[in-house]
Amino acid sequence: IRVKLRKLPARASVTNLRKDFSMVAVAVESRDGLQCGLDVPLQTGGSVLFGFENGEEKFDGLRGLLGLDDDEDPRDLVERVWLPVYKFEVPTGITGESWSTRSRSLLLDDKDDNH
């Protein structure tokens, strides 16, 4: 599900979406659409791609995030998008190591083999 952020409460952050709104963020998209990831800050005019915690669609919880009046339906402001999300068991060999560090070492290993 993708929702465009029309207003943004002061306390809203990607790390609190699950606790505050039962939203499991997959990515945050900047208002210009040029950045997309969990490290992109929430901003008015940007979007959040998410699923609901435990698959329970709690659209009423979005009211606080979107700053809606009681007569506005949050379902009118979301769009369903197809986004493949992959789940895998993390190999023991890379636990405790950030993915950026691990992927950089993999790239270096590949380059070393070519020289």
Side-chain angles (χ1 to χ4, degrees), residues 13-95:
S13 73
V14 174
T15 55
N16 291 335
L17 289 176
R18 187 174 190 165
K19 179 179 60 121
D20 294 345
F21 306 106
S22 298
M23 297 168 65
V24 180
V26 176
V28 176
E29 188 176 59
S30 62
R31 73 175 62 98
D32 61 10
L34 297 177
Q35 295 177 312
C36 188
L38 288 174
D39 59 341
V40 176
L42 294 176
Q43 53 187 265
T44 302
S47 299
V48 178
L49 290 101
F50 70 96
F52 285 104
E53 187 173 25
N54 298 321
E56 297 177 32
E57 294 187 347
K58 297 182 179 180
F59 283 101
D60 284 337
L62 293 178
R63 287 184 187 285
L65 177 64
L66 300 175
L68 300 179
D69 295 327
D70 290 337
D71 61 338
E72 293 180 283
D73 188 347
R75 288 173 189 84
D76 294 338
L77 301 174
V78 300
E79 65 176 309
R80 294 192 185 268
V81 294
W82 187 83
L83 177 70
V85 177
Y86 302 94
K87 178 180 176 180
F88 64 94
E89 188 173 326
V90 179
T92 307
I94 64 171
T95 56

